[in-house]
Amino acid sequence: MALGPRCGAIRACRRVLERAFSLRKAHSIKDMENTLQLVRNIIPPLSSTKHKGQDGRIGVVGGCQEYTGAPYFAAISALKVGADLSHVFCASAAAPVIKAYSPELIVHPVLDSPNAVHEVEKWLPRLHALVVGPGLGRDDALLRNVQGILEVSKARDIPVVIDADGLWLVAQQPALIHGYRKAVLTPNHVEFSRLYDAVLRGPMDSDDSHGSVLRLSQALGNVTVVQKGERDILSNGQQVLVCSQEGSSRRCGGQGDLLSGSLGVLVHWALLAGPQKTNGSSPLLVAAFGACSLTRQCNHQAFQKHGRSTTTSDMIAEVGAAFSKLFET
Ligand SMILES: NC(=O)C1=CN([C@@H]2O[C@H](COP(=O)(O)OP(=O)(O)OC[C@H]3O[C@@H](n4cnc5c(N)ncnc54)[C@H](OP(=O)(O)O)[C@@H]3O)[C@@H](O)[C@H]2O)[C@@H](O)CC1
Ligand SMILES: Nc1ncnc2c1ncn2[C@@H]1O[C@H](COP(=O)(O)OP(=O)(O)OP(=O)(O)O)[C@@H](O)[C@H]1O
Ligand SMILES: [Mg+2]
């Protein structure tokens, strides 16, 4: 008998919590939809008056003897999202392999050459964005060349997406990208902790992921940071966005490469469109939100068809349909 009123109070409390939870969920769905609309605003129209190259010429810097899949995934994803030309600048051992995966990619076997920086720099006037790191590996000589490539790219104001082993390099030398407002970093869980440790000289607070991403971005001089995970958390040191587009539980390797390659194109489109099209939000943050949503939607669609056997190639086959569903509705 004495439990009666207490049970009532518990039920009432549960109702309040459920309502608060469903309101928060509804709010975040509304936020997601609003941000997706901003992504739609930056997508250039397809037009018969444009020439080849106008919708994007993207370069991927990565690929070594061990890793040939990652730069391929990034470069082909850029094309599938809508870039017109996609280049890969890789170590010589990786080049024939990447070329054999696809006739659609332009592959330069230059990253381990003594004049690698010059070999890449001569292409920079013709590129709109670089994706640095997929399948790069951690060989010191290659990383030194990539350091030089980042320096000349910054000097020419080329937007750079930095992922995978490119983030390893940035963790060794944060000054390389500090304050460069055209850089986006896309760390996974491990890469984020490593960067946070290196830049903020202490472990991150795992109970405050929003705060951690915000602080890392600020400490890097407002470089845009995308922390990938169960929910993707994005910040430019001022604003924090969360992408929880439904994906799946399948965690095959290469999904991050799809994300970084897509982001290369979206960053170019967002900067071209400018802040008036993104309603005052940072164009790079909007681009990053678009790439996260797209990758997760590809994962969702591929999983519906292939279940546990889903691989990144299956996700890449979904890019067209996922793009239409999210951005062309
Ligand atoms: N087909 C290809 O060519 C591909 C090539 N790739 C290329 O490989 C290179 C290395 O990149 P990487 O991502 O494997 O990084 P790396 O620092 O060695 O860490 C690996 C270890 O970290 C951990 N771990 C990871 N995520 C975690 C999480 N969420 N939460 C917790 N732990 C987590 C996990 O540790 P474990 O579970 O084994 O203890 C895992 O073994 C890079 O060039 C990249 O581009 C990839 O792009 C894939 C496709
Ligand atoms: N637990 C999760 N649930 C749902 N989606 C996730 C989860 N973890 C990562 N993702 C999504 O998978 C994509 C790639 O993130 P991931 O953390 O796997 O990158 P990565 O480790 O760099 O991948 P790669 O194997 O290409 O190196 C992102 O779009 C992210 O949103
Ligand atoms: Mg990765």
Side-chain angles (χ1 to χ4, degrees):
M1 290 290 277
L3 283 178
R6 211 190 290 168
C7 280
I10 289 170
R11 269 197 300 275
C13 187
R14 189 195 284 167
R15 273 198 300 277
V16 170
L17 284 175
E18 279 171 359
R19 186 148 179 278
F21 181 73
S22 72
L23 278 178
R24 215 178 65 191
K25 203 168 159 196
H27 180 67
S28 75
I29 290 170
K30 197 163 145 251
D31 284 351
M32 289 262 301
E33 185 43 47
N34 289 342
T35 316
L36 280 176
Q37 187 51 50
L38 300 182
V39 181
R40 292 176 195 126
N41 292 350
I42 64 161
I43 294 168
L46 289 168
S47 150
S48 57
T49 61
K50 283 186 188 164
H51 62 258
K52 177 182 61 185
Q54 271 185 291
D55 275 344
R57 295 184 293 266
I58 308 301
V60 174
V61 178
C64 61
Q65 180 142 22
E66 291 91 339
Y67 305 126
T68 54
Y72 163 76
F73 289 144
I76 200 79
S77 298
L79 275 183
K80 291 284 181 188
V81 166
D84 291 333
L85 293 164
S86 195
H87 295 251
V88 178
F89 300 93
C90 60
S92 47
V97 183
I98 300 171
K99 283 177 204 270
Y101 292 152
S102 168
E104 287 157 316
L105 304 178
I106 301 162
V107 184
H108 309 264
V110 296
L111 266 196
D112 51 348
S113 102
N115 42 1
V117 179
H118 173 70
E119 290 294 330
V120 177
E121 189 179 17
K122 69 186 188 194
W123 281 93
L124 290 183
R126 281 182 271 175
L127 295 179
H128 296 116
L130 282 187
V131 180
V132 177
L136 180 61
R138 294 185 188 162
D139 175 80
D140 282 339
L142 280 194
L143 291 176
R144 265 195 304 280
N145 287 339
V146 172
Q147 175 184 337
I149 292 165
L150 278 174
E151 280 160 354
V152 294
S153 303
K154 269 193 322 186
R156 289 175 180 269
D157 217 26
I158 306 275
V160 289
V161 175
I162 306 186
D163 188 32
D165 303 310
L167 296 169
W168 169 265
L169 176 63
V170 169
Q172 316 300 309
Q173 298 179 56
L176 253 183
I177 50 97
H178 187 278
Y180 187 49
R181 296 292 179 96
K182 290 194 177 173
V184 186
L185 312 187
T186 55
N188 65 18
H189 179 82
V190 175
E191 291 155 349
F192 184 88
S193 310
R194 189 185 294 130
L195 266 176
Y196 192 97
D197 237 28
V199 174
L200 286 137
R201 301 189 184 287
M204 59 186 249
D205 175 0
S206 46
D207 291 331
D208 179 19
S209 39
H210 281 55
S212 299
V213 179
L214 185 77
R215 277 190 292 281
L216 178 61
S217 170
Q218 288 170 346
L220 286 168
N222 293 88
V223 160
T224 301
V225 177
V226 177
Q227 184 196 49
K228 298 174 291 191
E230 191 172 351
R231 299 179 317 146
D232 298 326
I233 302 176
L234 297 64
S235 181
N236 63 347
Q238 290 169 328
Q239 211 183 338
V240 178
L241 299 181
V242 177
C243 178
S244 48
Q245 184 73 36
E246 187 178 3
S248 82
S249 315
R250 180 71 174 117
R251 300 267 66 80
C252 54
Q255 300 183 37
D257 306 316
L258 194 168
L259 193 157
S260 61
S262 314
L263 184 51
V265 191
L266 286 164
V267 158
H268 164 54
W269 289 351
L271 289 170
L272 208 58
Q276 56 290 10
K277 288 283 176 83
T278 55
N279 220 3
S281 281
S282 143
L284 293 196
L285 215 46
V286 170
F289 188 88
C292 291
S293 310
L294 181 69
T295 307
R296 296 170 74 103
Q297 178 67 23
C298 289
N299 182 251
H300 181 69
Q301 291 180 194
F303 188 76
Q304 303 246 304
K305 292 185 185 165
H306 306 283
R308 193 181 283 272
S309 82
T310 300
T311 61
T312 297
S313 299
D314 299 320
M315 288 171 57
I316 289 168
E318 296 297 326
V319 167
F323 190 97
S324 295
K325 183 162 175 50
L326 291 175
F327 308 134
E328 292 175 330
T329 48

